[in-house]
Amino acid sequence: METRYYDTYASWKADPEAFWAEAAKEINWFTPPTRTFNPDDGVYGRWFEGATCNTCYNCIDRHVEAGHGDRKALFYDSPVTGQRRAYTFAEMQIEVGALAAVLRAQGLDKGDRVIVYMPMVPQAIFAMLAAARLGAIHSVVFGGFAARELATRIDDAKPKLILSASCGIETNRIVPYKPLLDEAIALAESKPQRCIILQRKEHRCTLTSQRDLDYEEAVKPAIATGQKTECVPVAATDPLYILYTSGTTGQPKGVVRDNGGHMVALKWTMEHHYGVKPGEVFWAASDVGWVVGHSYICYGPLLHGCGTVLYEGKPVGTPDAGAFWRVIQDNGVAALFTAPTAFRAVKKEDPKGALVADYDLSTFRTLFLAGERADPDTIRWAEEKLDRPVIDHWWQTETGWPMAGNPVGLGQLPVKPGSPGVAMPGFDIQVLDDAGKPVEPGTLGNIVCKLPLPPSSFPTLWNAEARFRKAYFEEFPGYYATSDAGIVDEDGYVFIMARTDDIINVAGHRLSTGAMEEVLSSHEDIAECAVIGVADSMKGQLPLGFFVPNDGVERDEAELEKELVALVRARIGPVAAFKTAIEVKRLPKTRSGKVLRGTMQKIADAEDWKMPAAIDDPEILKEISVALTARGFGRMNS
Ligand code: COA
Ligand code: AMP
């Protein structure tokens, strides 16, 4: 099929308001917008002012009202518990309506916050939708974070209620959530009024305090008495959720997503970017704790009337590297979206892709990859083994949907290996040098988007408007700074090369090395430290720490390293995947005292590097090389 991408992009560029006004017709508004875009509101304008709507209504009720109540909406597939269960839109309406009634009875109201700290169980999706139904604001916290990270989010969002579960299940262990939740609440200054806990039979917890309520005990009577709870109208510009993401300090950024623009943009992507139709099954193999989980496990597919797969398992080990193909077959998946690291894990265990042939993949059309750089080898391997298009696309928590991609729904463009594609309508992607001047096509620079940002993009950071302006809009006035460095070539293909801040990408998870440094430097024996991201063939990057002990500290390096690794796991969580810390006598710095993390990373990755002109003492880099080589990283600079 000939692509309609170029015409579509041009029509957006010619009249962005008309473009989004047309897309907004796909949403059921209670009151339609009085204005598609108001450039004078907010930092860069606001979308769909004057409109009232409800996201849960658009995800569930309207499909039931349209006669699709019997259509499958949610496919829970959990190899770690041996369960599979599908919920129709009508069943979702009952579950979500009843939970919303329980939440309301517990005092949750429009604009109140509710934290969802749950594993990949259907109740996590019900919780998000029930909050949306009431006009409350949810904040989902990924289960791999430690109690302290949860506490930080509790103190920032100040939730009235928390929904959690007794445990999560990893391939190698059960993760009891309740002790983490209790510890987080003890650490936090802001205390929730109530916690609603889902008891899982794999590991039950004790509900001791007056604060805790059993999920089933509360929801079952609400279902039995048919409590449905009507959808509360909210302004299109009201927040739907807050999702915390790593920033350059230990304080995560609370990305705010509004209701109206989010629905319009996501609905548009389902047909035009992902090329799926209502009634088909979409599977994002991610976690509800990440933005991919918000947009494409929960909201996008349901808004479009698709079935969505909620997979509680891994690409390998549950039970083997054929798991993805089994889930596609058993749930009739049309499109799969995951991170390249998942495919690298599969490829490592089944390099020949022999297990693909064991399953019927006849419903499956397209594989989408995002979250980290997709290396051309992995893309080629997936294309060859699956014999289907493999589409990379680039996006961020801040936008909630792809900024660049290859819109198969509009007609697939040729793939350029190493590029996640071209700018999506809504995004005017440009590359600027450090002085803010546009560079020639094909030249590396700072990737920015000309303002305004399109619907679904964050209007602010929760409780942090000044940080919002400073982090994203001050360096390049008139543009949104993505903090990614890269290239746009003469055909408009974007290439994402690196982050310009301290964020690293570990197994598709966005982590701050600055936050890890804060943890290391809190150890009483540590004088100085640095954390960098080093290349890893499976996870893309892994964190690597350097530490300088305090003067007079005579401790065994291995013992200190063990303590530091345990400290990061306890403070940030296992998801940080922090496993290595190397002792050095001193850190390389510029004459103005800036640690040369970039050069250390190049040495660790055995890339070519040049002695920085502003270095204080060149000898120190030699010491770093020696220390890295001794631990199997990098090589000496000849
Ligand atoms: N709750 C508790 N712990 C969790 C967790 C959760 N929800 N998720 C991960 N962890 C733990 C893991 O068990 C692991 O612990 P360990 O150090 O004891 O082994 C640690 O956090 C690191 O997890 P991860 O980086 O995911 O590594 P892994 O070896 O468990 O799995 C992959 C590696 C590649 C299989 C997995 O990361 C994956 O499937 N990634 C692709 C999909 C994805 O999640 N993308 C994100 C955005 S699209
Ligand atoms: P997150 O906000 O967690 O989705 O992470 C966003 C960051 O992940 C981006 O700023 C990029 O650095 C990286 N990223 C996401 N998708 C891609 C991609 N397709 N190619 C390269 N990097 C990506």
Side-chain angles (χ1 to χ4, degrees):
M1 143 171 140
E2 201 165 302
T3 185
R4 289 183 287 124
Y5 163 74
Y6 293 102
D7 288 347
T8 308
Y9 191 80
S11 81
W12 162 73
K13 211 155 185 198
D15 192 344
E17 282 192 47
F19 182 91
W20 291 117
E22 186 60 30
K25 290 183 184 156
E26 294 285 315
I27 299 305
N28 283 27
W29 306 96
F30 295 148
T31 327
T34 46
R35 229 176 144 174
T36 303
F37 183 65
N38 178 0
D40 301 321
D41 198 4
V43 170
Y44 58 82
R46 297 298 308 264
W47 292 95
F48 308 115
E49 278 187 354
T52 60
C53 56
N54 185 285
T55 297
C56 180
Y57 176 79
N58 276 276
C59 287
I60 298 177
D61 301 64
R62 76 155 161 173
H63 303 307
V64 178
E65 287 167 15
H68 304 306
D70 290 342
R71 193 188 276 173
K72 301 267 177 19
L74 182 67
F75 296 83
Y76 172 53
D77 190 312
S78 170
V80 295
T81 62
Q83 287 183 73
R84 286 188 58 216
R85 159 138 200 218
Y87 296 81
T88 63
F89 281 101
E91 287 169 328
M92 293 280 283
Q93 192 180 35
I94 291 168
E95 294 281 351
V96 172
L99 178 58
V102 169
L103 298 181
R104 173 170 284 162
Q106 294 301 326
L108 194 73
D109 235 320
K110 187 166 157 176
D112 289 338
R113 274 79 58 211
V114 52
I115 279 189
V116 180
Y117 182 61
M118 288 183 125
M120 290 284 283
V121 289
Q123 290 77 6
I125 301 285
F126 302 158
M128 294 164 80
L129 292 166
R133 197 169 186 87
L134 295 175
I137 304 165
H138 64 69
S139 187
V140 183
V141 179
F142 177 61
F145 281 121
R148 200 173 273 264
E149 289 287 322
L150 178 57
T152 309
R153 287 153 175 80
I154 293 174
D155 274 336
D156 199 61
K158 302 193 175 19
K160 216 177 221 180
L161 303 177
I162 299 185
L163 280 119
S164 189
S166 54
C167 70
I169 302 159
E170 286 295 287
T171 38
N172 54 358
R173 67 191 189 284
I174 294 227
V175 183
Y177 274 35
K178 188 67 178 5
L180 296 170
L181 176 66
D182 289 344
E183 190 189 337
I185 294 173
L187 284 168
E189 276 172 28
S190 165
K191 311 286 182 195
Q193 286 172 18
R194 188 71 80 207
C195 294
I196 303 179
I197 312 288
L198 177 77
Q199 291 280 18
R200 306 190 75 190
K201 68 174 172 20
E202 289 75 17
H203 171 91
R204 293 180 69 83
C205 63
T206 330
L207 307 182
T208 42
S209 71
Q210 296 286 315
R211 196 195 60 206
D212 300 334
L213 205 67
D214 182 297
Y215 183 103
E216 287 295 338
E217 281 176 18
V219 174
K220 263 196 184 148
I223 292 180
T225 51
Q227 295 188 42
K228 282 213 173 111
T229 314
E230 289 314 304
C231 296
V232 173
V234 295
T237 48
D238 279 343
L240 168 69
Y241 69 74
I242 307 165
L243 179 57
Y244 288 91
T245 188
S246 297
T248 47
T249 65
Q251 179 70 26
K253 295 168 169 168
V255 167
V256 173
R257 187 87 57 222
D258 66 13
N259 276 275
H262 178 241
M263 284 196 280
V264 172
L266 291 197
K267 178 81 172 75
W268 185 89
T269 60
M270 292 305 294
E271 180 183 343
H272 301 98
H273 186 270
Y274 297 103
V276 292
K277 295 181 211 60
E280 290 192 311
V281 180
F282 193 87
W283 176 25
S286 176
D287 188 286
V288 284
W290 306 117
V291 67
V292 173
H294 281 63
S295 295
Y296 294 111
I297 297 176
C298 185
Y299 291 112
L302 296 179
L303 283 167
H304 200 44
C306 285
T308 183
V309 179
L310 183 79
Y311 176 61
E312 191 181 24
K314 302 266 174 176
V316 293
T318 56
D320 58 27
F324 273 17
W325 327 134
R326 199 269 305 152
V327 175
I328 291 173
Q329 168 191 278
D330 289 354
N331 300 288
V333 171
L336 165 63
F337 174 175
T338 191
T341 189
F343 264 74
R344 289 196 295 268
V346 172
K347 181 174 144 207
K348 191 165 165 227
E349 273 198 17
D350 181 19
K352 294 204 165 76
L355 294 171
V356 177
D358 292 352
Y359 299 92
D360 172 4
L361 304 187
S362 52
T363 56
F364 181 46
R365 285 197 302 273
T366 326
L367 170 65
F368 295 93
L369 299 174
E372 55 168 331
R373 186 172 173 272
D375 51 294
D377 275 356
T378 301
I379 292 192
R380 266 193 296 272
W381 184 87
E383 273 170 350
E384 193 190 305
K385 302 303 170 206
L386 295 171
D387 194 21
R388 282 162 177 82
V390 177
I391 305 293
D392 185 10
H393 58 321
W394 167 64
W395 53 303
Q396 302 186 310
T397 303
E398 287 83 347
T399 62
W401 64 288
M403 304 150 83
N406 193 331
V408 295
L410 292 172
Q412 194 190 322
L413 299 169
V415 169
K416 289 200 188 190
S419 166
V422 295
M424 287 299 99
F427 294 100
D428 180 352
I429 299 175
Q430 301 189 14
V431 183
L432 305 180
D433 65 17
D434 288 346
K437 296 261 167 330
V439 301
E440 291 295 310
T443 310
L444 184 68
N446 301 288
I447 303 194
V448 297
C449 299
K450 195 163 184 299
L451 295 178
L453 288 171
S456 167
S457 305
F458 62 156
T460 190
L461 292 176
W462 186 254
N463 282 340
E465 181 87 359
R467 187 179 184 194
F468 176 63
R469 287 172 192 270
K470 188 164 186 304
Y472 298 104
F473 304 102
E474 275 182 9
E475 192 179 357
F476 304 109
Y479 298 90
Y480 160 68
T482 66
S483 294
D484 277 320
I487 288 167
V488 176
D489 74 7
E490 59 288 350
D491 299 324
Y493 280 69
V494 178
F495 291 77
I496 306 296
M497 311 304 282
R499 289 283 301 198
T500 57
D501 54 11
D502 75 337
I503 300 292
I504 58 171
N505 201 312
V506 180
H509 307 140
R510 174 170 161 179
L511 298 166
S512 158
T513 54
M516 293 186 219
E517 288 180 3
E518 280 178 28
V519 175
L520 298 191
S521 50
S522 72
H523 189 290
E524 58 181 7
D525 291 335
I526 302 302
E528 274 194 297
C529 67
V531 176
I532 59 171
V534 293
D536 180 75
S537 60
M538 223 261 276
K539 294 198 178 184
Q541 279 186 301
L542 276 177
L544 171 65
F546 296 88
F547 62 94
V548 180
N550 282 321
D551 282 349
V553 169
E554 301 273 329
R555 303 225 11 220
D556 180 51
E557 177 183 351
E559 206 179 284
L560 255 180
E561 179 181 20
K562 225 166 128 193
E563 286 175 17
L564 293 173
V565 166
L567 202 59
V568 175
R569 196 174 170 96
R571 294 265 177 91
I572 297 180
V575 67
F578 183 86
K579 308 261 162 142
T580 316
I582 302 178
E583 180 174 335
V584 289
K585 277 197 300 212
R586 44 203 187 149
L587 291 171
K589 292 181 187 165
T590 61
R591 281 188 282 277
S592 60
K594 230 174 141 230
V595 177
L596 290 161
R597 294 181 182 79
T599 313
M600 290 160 83
Q601 179 251 312
K602 284 199 165 65
I603 298 173
D605 285 347
E607 287 173 18
D608 286 333
W609 59 277
K610 282 202 190 79
M611 188 62 73
I615 191 162
D616 184 29
D617 180 353
E619 270 306 300
I620 305 178
L621 280 178
K622 291 209 182 106
E623 294 166 14
I624 296 288
S625 293
V626 170
L628 281 167
T629 311
R631 295 290 295 267
F633 295 95
R635 62 172 160 75
M636 296 290 287
N637 192 27
S638 48

